[in-house]
Amino acid sequence: MFMLRNVGKYLFGDTSKESIIDIPQGQLYLVRPLSPKGYSELIFKDAAASIRRTAQEFQYQLIVQRAYEEGEEELLEDEEDEDGVEGALAAEKDEKTFLLDESLHFRSETRHGGEKVFAWKDLSGDLGDHYEFVCDRSVQPVALGTFELVAIQCQYERKYRRSHQKATEEELRQFSFSDALLPEPEPEEKSALVTASSSSSSKPVKSEMSPRTSRTVKEEGESAKEVRTMPPPSAKHPEQREMLVKEKAELHLYDFNSGTFILQDPEVTAFVSETGAWKYWLQITGKEKDWLGQPIVADINPVFNFDYLSFIFNHYTADGSAYSWLLRFRDQTTVERFQEGLMRALWESLNQMKWIKAKDDDREYVLEAFQDLTMEDAPEYLQDEEEEEEDEKNAEDEEEEEEEYDGQRSEHYDSDESEDDVTTRDNDGNVNSQLAVGYKHDRSFVVRGSKIGVFKHTPNNNLEFSTNISKVETPGGKLFSPKKVMLHAEDSNMILQNEQDPHSLYKMDLEYGKVVDEWKVHDDIPVDLFAPEKKFSQMTGEQTFLGLSRNALYRIDPRLAGNKLVDSELKQYVSKNDFSAAATTEQGYIAVASNKGDIRMFDRLGINAKTHIPALGEAIIGLDVSADGRWVLATCRTYLLLVDALQKEGKHVGKLGFERSFGKDSKPQPRRLGLQPAHVAQFQHETGAALAFTPARFNTGVDSNETSIITATGPFIVTWNLKKVLQGRKDPYTIKRYAEEVKADNFKFGSDRDVIVALPNEVNMVAKRTFKRPTRESIASPVEVGGGGGGYGGGRGSGVGGRRSEGRNTRGGSRLSRNEIVDSPY
């Protein structure tokens, strides 16, 4: 097979074709060896298989499409129209797509009757489930060999992020799973639809490891070709100053291919030590070797689970590779000792302050935040389990009825152009950077350099381009790029911040699309941040709003003559608090966070905070509060922090931390929302970038409750189900991956089902139900949007769209018609 490499090179070289190679005829089966419903199911009686490029370099897909006899497709389309079936759903039934990755174990065999069969794992199925594509006898053997070679080369490129032309034959052979024989059913289970394998072998058996089990081992029957994630060499241990903790444990490593933790050593010693000024080191050593060593930093993403006596964390090597490890301790006392030692090291490194100097309550708060907790006394609207299951069932039903497409292109069209000749991006060097979602008039605003794009929310939940504010200028005519924006006064105005002028803000009249006023806040106190007077103030004619410097909190009143800062409502601190974010409730209570990581709660301006929540260590870059003030949501770079502000005991029981201080017998209950370390490692394995969350937000609306949280990191959007979080569920979040970095995101006002997403050159509204649970496949498979990358840009021809038109038949391609193209001025 590897003698055909030159042919593969020729096929890859023709980048004008989306499809690299095809097998025009065959049948697709889904084989379930352990299913009581039957061994084999025929999916497509007549089908074609192809390997295609994706929009992302070194990423390829295996596509199997149903083939129709003459007139059959038109007949089925008529039936679907009569039944009200969406075209997108029909396309889903006619095509199966798989990311070409070594986890598929793509392999082939020739059966007794001479049939050539390609097989690969069903990653979303049960153990042993796989797909089989039985090739038609009319397909030439050389074509089959080339197809398999191209599949191997694609897997090589995906894993090593480089051209297969640089691969040696030995390197390519690791993707050839020729000895992983297809499982053969017992004679009485053989289906009339499929021919049994010519080889008889026992099925590969894997013992998977979850926190409920103690270990994962490789069974004797498992294929020798099974590729496991190998641990990297251990870094050299720096000189130790002080030992903080030292404990015995089992060591497991997360295997990317199987999606399980694999036992590496039944007994290791894990110790945390101080190695320098606010520098700490985690070392894990076995009897025969050093397994790993790394600095203790926020990126290790520590998670302790006392139910399973485990500690899961991420490990990063010098080349940026990420691994996920699990330590399993023998009893709860041991894991508690190790947790305190490790958290002490992490807290001291982040705060540059000795752990012993922190208050007892603060230390307990920090330790609780890094545990898997179930919050008590959740609101009634978040307690109904039956209602949740019904909502999930309805969402699944809706997803089956309609496949939402969240990347409609919006491109210019000239009659003298070919359909492929479309300019989709400007060349001014700017990208989309900020998103402001309207509360009053169903508009969204996207900042791109010194331009602002305006988009209308249509009744059927699409985005429609409205207009372009092409120049953001000061009243004196000086062009600037807004650093921060906020809608104001019933969404009729927008407040803009110019990074070059820290003492002033600018008012833009959105009806005219120009800056009409400059507000000098104060001669000496800068305005680094600003927030609405109350959570829904932008829906009213309220003129005042909050302003913050790094060390002061105050009210801004644009109606004042001269400086706009209200002196009587100024709270200035002598110490360096380094404020970084602020948010308000419906009643006007104020939450303020800092780069130190602490949070203050005020019931009004000009006084001391009612409640001070201690820092976990990381800087807080974003803050949101539920309308009723119950939940405070802080965003750090590597995790979110959800704090319950309701007092459940003590003399102020039933009061919020905004209204009364927490007593000694009562304290805020924290919940650290982080991605599972294994998912973090997979994220970094795919993108090469560390976690960096965008400011997280609740869904919000005047008459709606907060049920969801949304944020993004790199090309991934992540949404948490608040009900699942409070119930301590292990699957509280879903994801959606794009091919480019997500610049900004937020829920549509009044909804938790529709999300507005700003990519560097694209803006979309997507349905939350299109988000998926994080699996190897969903993490590795980016959503293609905009074809050639159309998006909100500054040059002629680029634009933004929402969802694909409803009822559009996507079978056979995704080209837009003239009527679907927005003729935007950029």
Side-chain angles (χ1 to χ4, degrees):
M1 177 178 63
F2 294 99
M3 296 174 64
L4 300 171
R5 291 186 64 179
N6 290 334
V7 178
K9 186 186 301 184
Y10 171 76
L11 293 169
F12 271 83
D14 189 359
T15 56
S16 64
K17 294 182 180 179
E18 182 184 27
S19 179
I20 300 174
I21 188 170
D22 303 272
I23 295 178
Q25 197 167 352
Q27 294 180 325
L28 180 67
Y29 297 88
L30 176 57
V31 180
R32 299 187 180 99
L34 305 180
S35 173
K37 297 181 180 179
Y39 180 80
S40 178
E41 177 186 356
L42 179 63
I43 306 298
F44 299 148
K45 181 181 178 182
D46 295 299
S50 61
I51 295 175
R52 298 180 186 175
R53 297 177 174 86
T54 68
Q56 194 170 10
E57 190 177 15
F58 305 132
Q59 308 290 332
Y60 303 90
Q61 290 177 330
L62 171 64
I63 311 286
V64 182
Q65 288 181 309
R66 178 179 177 180
Y68 291 94
E69 296 179 1
E70 186 175 354
E72 183 183 5
E73 182 173 12
E74 289 75 12
L75 179 61
L76 288 175
E77 285 177 351
D78 291 341
E79 292 175 355
E80 288 162 4
D81 291 339
E82 291 174 4
D83 295 337
V85 178
E86 296 289 348
L89 178 60
E92 166 73 12
K93 293 179 178 178
D94 292 338
E95 182 177 283
K96 297 291 183 182
T97 302
F98 310 90
L99 182 71
L100 267 174
D101 181 87
E102 60 182 324
S103 62
L104 289 179
H105 279 215
F106 184 87
R107 55 209 187 271
S108 69
E109 82 168 12
T110 302
R111 295 215 168 125
H112 281 311
E115 292 174 320
K116 183 76 169 183
V117 179
F118 292 113
W120 58 94
K121 288 184 179 180
D122 177 11
L123 298 179
S124 61
D126 295 328
L127 184 67
D129 290 3
H130 64 275
Y131 287 92
E132 292 181 358
F133 185 83
V134 182
C135 303
D136 191 82
R137 296 177 185 274
S138 62
V139 182
Q140 295 297 317
V142 65
L144 299 174
T146 305
F147 190 91
E148 184 174 4
L149 174 62
V150 170
I152 288 173
Q153 292 168 337
C154 290
Q155 294 172 72
Y156 172 89
E157 292 197 2
R158 171 171 162 72
K159 181 172 183 177
Y160 293 106
R161 302 292 201 277
R162 61 175 181 258
S163 172
H164 68 274
Q165 296 179 21
K166 300 177 181 179
T168 65
E169 288 194 11
E170 187 61 32
E171 288 174 325
L172 290 177
R173 288 187 197 281
Q174 68 178 296
F175 303 100
S176 178
F177 301 98
S178 57
D179 64 338
L181 301 176
L182 308 184
E184 185 176 3
E186 295 299 325
E188 63 272 15
E189 293 178 328
K190 289 185 181 179
S191 168
L193 301 175
V194 65
T195 303
S197 169
S198 60
S199 313
S200 62
S201 73
S202 59
K203 294 186 296 291
V205 178
K206 267 194 300 190
S207 171
E208 296 193 358
M209 195 265 178
S210 71
R212 297 181 183 274
T213 61
S214 63
R215 65 189 64 190
T216 296
V217 297
K218 187 172 180 179
E219 299 290 342
E220 293 180 1
E222 190 170 10
S223 166
K225 284 284 187 176
E226 182 92 9
V227 178
R228 293 291 176 92
T229 300
M230 300 301 295
S234 176
K236 185 178 180 181
H237 190 290
E239 185 177 349
Q240 175 183 310
R241 288 187 178 181
E242 178 188 356
M243 179 77 70
L244 274 65
V245 67
K246 180 179 180 180
E247 301 293 347
K248 300 285 187 181
E250 289 179 358
L251 180 65
H252 305 257
L253 175 64
Y254 184 79
D255 178 49
F256 291 108
N257 295 324
S258 65
T260 60
F261 281 95
I262 308 297
L263 180 68
Q264 304 295 313
D265 196 324
E267 183 177 332
V268 296
T269 301
F271 56 90
V272 175
S273 59
E274 182 180 0
T275 59
W278 312 118
K279 294 181 180 179
Y280 301 86
W281 188 265
L282 171 63
Q283 186 73 26
I284 298 177
T285 303
K287 294 179 179 179
E288 298 180 358
K289 62 179 289 189
D290 287 341
W291 282 98
L292 69 95
Q294 73 166 25
I296 296 177
V297 293
D299 286 297
I300 69 173
N301 198 37
V303 174
F304 287 89
N305 190 304
F306 286 94
D307 289 338
Y308 307 136
L309 305 177
S310 64
F311 166 54
I312 307 175
F313 64 99
N314 289 122
H315 167 219
Y316 302 91
T317 59
D319 64 359
S321 298
Y323 299 84
S324 186
W325 294 86
L326 181 148
L327 286 171
R328 182 179 174 87
F329 300 91
R330 64 174 178 264
D331 54 45
Q332 184 160 331
T333 302
T334 306
V335 71
E336 285 177 354
R337 285 197 305 264
F338 188 81
Q339 182 203 32
E340 183 161 357
L342 184 121
M343 295 312 302
R344 170 188 166 185
L346 181 59
W347 190 87
E348 289 185 4
S349 68
L350 292 171
N351 291 276
Q352 297 196 2
M353 172 182 170
K354 282 297 182 180
W355 178 253
I356 195 65
K357 293 184 178 181
K359 298 177 182 178
D360 291 343
D361 289 346
D362 291 355
R363 289 202 296 268
E364 187 176 351
Y365 172 87
V366 171
L367 295 177
E368 282 189 2
F370 283 85
Q371 295 177 22
D372 284 339
L373 296 178
T374 300
M375 290 189 170
E376 300 174 356
D377 192 28
E380 291 183 2
Y381 66 86
L382 290 175
Q383 287 183 331
D384 192 341
E385 185 72 26
E386 292 182 4
E387 180 183 344
E388 177 194 2
E389 292 177 356
E390 183 67 23
D391 289 343
E392 289 182 353
K393 182 179 185 300
N394 291 339
E396 290 174 359
D397 292 343
E398 288 178 1
E399 190 169 356
E400 290 177 2
E401 292 170 2
E402 176 185 3
E403 178 187 340
E404 294 288 349
Y405 181 91
D406 58 298
Q408 182 184 26
R409 288 175 289 181
S410 302
E411 305 165 339
H412 78 284
Y413 188 98
D414 293 334
S415 58
D416 60 344
E417 289 185 316
S418 71
E419 288 184 87
D420 292 326
D421 183 15
V422 181
T423 303
T424 58
R425 300 195 183 189
D426 60 0
N427 53 10
D428 63 359
N430 291 315
V431 296
N432 300 333
S433 60
Q434 296 179 67
L435 171 67
V437 177
Y439 285 12
K440 186 76 174 180
H441 298 303
D442 283 332
R443 296 288 189 278
S444 285
F445 302 82
V446 180
V447 178
R448 182 187 182 95
S450 59
K451 306 179 183 70
I452 298 177
V454 186
F455 302 90
K456 178 182 178 181
H457 307 169
T458 65
N460 59 343
N461 295 326
N462 292 332
L463 280 184
E464 182 180 288
F465 171 73
S466 180
T467 190
N468 177 38
I469 301 170
S470 58
K471 290 184 178 181
V472 178
E473 299 176 320
T474 66
K478 185 178 180 181
L479 198 70
F480 72 95
S481 299
K483 178 185 177 183
K484 178 178 171 61
V485 300
M486 184 179 78
L487 291 167
H488 188 57
E490 299 182 279
D491 290 353
S492 62
N493 301 327
M494 181 179 282
I495 300 171
L496 311 174
Q497 184 180 35
N498 181 0
E499 192 171 14
Q500 305 304 316
D501 188 356
H503 295 274
S504 297
L505 295 173
Y506 297 88
K507 171 187 172 183
M508 171 176 281
D509 187 321
L510 292 174
E511 182 178 353
Y512 295 98
K514 63 182 295 186
V515 173
V516 296
D517 202 1
E518 177 181 353
W519 297 332
K520 182 66 174 293
V521 176
H522 197 273
D523 293 328
D524 301 316
I525 301 175
V527 54
D528 296 306
L529 308 164
F530 48 95
E533 179 79 11
K534 298 179 180 179
K535 191 171 185 73
F536 302 122
S537 285
Q538 75 181 66
M539 300 186 69
T540 71
E542 176 63 52
Q543 294 298 306
T544 64
F545 56 97
L546 304 183
L548 294 91
S549 70
R550 296 301 176 190
N551 232 34
L553 175 63
Y554 48 84
R555 177 168 278 110
I556 298 173
D557 190 345
R559 299 166 297 188
L560 295 177
N563 290 345
K564 309 303 180 183
L565 186 149
V566 181
D567 292 325
S568 62
E569 296 184 273
L570 166 66
K571 174 63 180 178
Q572 200 162 9
Y573 291 83
V574 177
S575 58
K576 296 179 180 179
N577 289 315
D578 202 8
F579 293 141
S580 59
T584 53
T585 71
E586 189 173 10
Q587 294 187 40
Y589 297 150
I590 306 161
V592 179
S594 77
N595 282 321
K596 294 180 179 179
D598 58 348
I599 301 172
R600 288 175 169 82
M601 298 182 185
F602 302 83
D603 63 345
R604 62 188 184 277
L605 286 171
I607 64 170
N608 290 330
K610 295 292 186 184
T611 297
H612 178 249
I613 299 175
L616 295 183
E618 278 199 54
I620 293 176
I621 61 172
L623 198 64
D624 198 7
V625 184
S626 62
D628 62 2
R630 171 74 186 270
W631 307 104
V632 178
L633 178 66
T635 307
C636 300
R637 183 176 64 85
T638 61
Y639 61 86
L640 313 183
L641 188 66
L642 181 66
V643 180
D644 187 352
L646 182 67
Q647 302 189 42
K648 304 179 185 65
E649 52 189 1
K651 62 181 180 179
H652 300 313
V653 62
K655 294 290 185 179
L656 296 171
F658 294 99
E659 301 169 302
R660 294 283 188 174
S661 299
F662 278 84
K664 292 183 179 179
D665 54 350
S666 178
K667 63 182 184 303
Q669 188 176 4
R671 172 76 189 211
R672 178 183 175 274
L673 304 185
L675 302 180
Q676 293 181 24
H679 296 156
V680 174
Q682 287 180 310
F683 278 24
Q684 184 152 341
H685 179 72
E686 290 294 327
T687 65
L691 282 184
F693 284 123
T694 59
R697 295 179 176 88
F698 293 114
N699 65 292
T700 189
V702 175
D703 298 319
S704 61
N705 295 313
E706 291 81 3
T707 58
S708 301
I709 296 168
I710 193 159
T711 183
T713 174
F716 300 95
I717 308 178
V718 187
T719 178
W720 273 267
N721 181 309
L722 189 56
K723 184 185 298 184
K724 291 182 178 180
V725 167
L726 301 184
Q727 291 171 345
R729 295 271 291 272
K730 302 304 178 186
D731 56 346
Y733 59 89
T734 55
I735 67 166
K736 193 176 189 73
R737 180 182 176 179
Y738 288 89
E740 296 181 289
E741 179 185 4
V742 177
K743 293 294 186 179
D745 52 275
N746 203 349
F747 287 106
K748 177 185 174 183
F749 182 73
S751 170
D752 70 344
R753 297 187 176 185
D754 298 295
V755 178
I756 300 169
V757 184
L759 303 174
N761 299 286
E762 186 89 24
V763 182
N764 300 298
M765 185 183 290
V766 301
K768 193 180 74 173
R769 68 172 175 268
T770 64
F771 286 48
K772 299 178 180 179
R773 291 183 180 180
T775 62
R776 179 168 175 79
E777 190 170 20
S778 63
I779 291 173
S781 304
V783 176
E784 295 183 37
V785 293
Y792 171 49
R796 179 176 178 270
S798 56
V800 182
R803 295 193 177 100
R804 188 175 295 277
S805 301
E806 294 187 6
R808 172 179 168 79
N809 191 340
T810 60
R811 190 183 294 117
S814 59
R815 190 182 302 281
L816 294 177
S817 68
R818 291 175 181 241
N819 294 334
E820 289 175 306
I821 295 172
V822 178
D823 184 16
S824 73
Y826 48 89

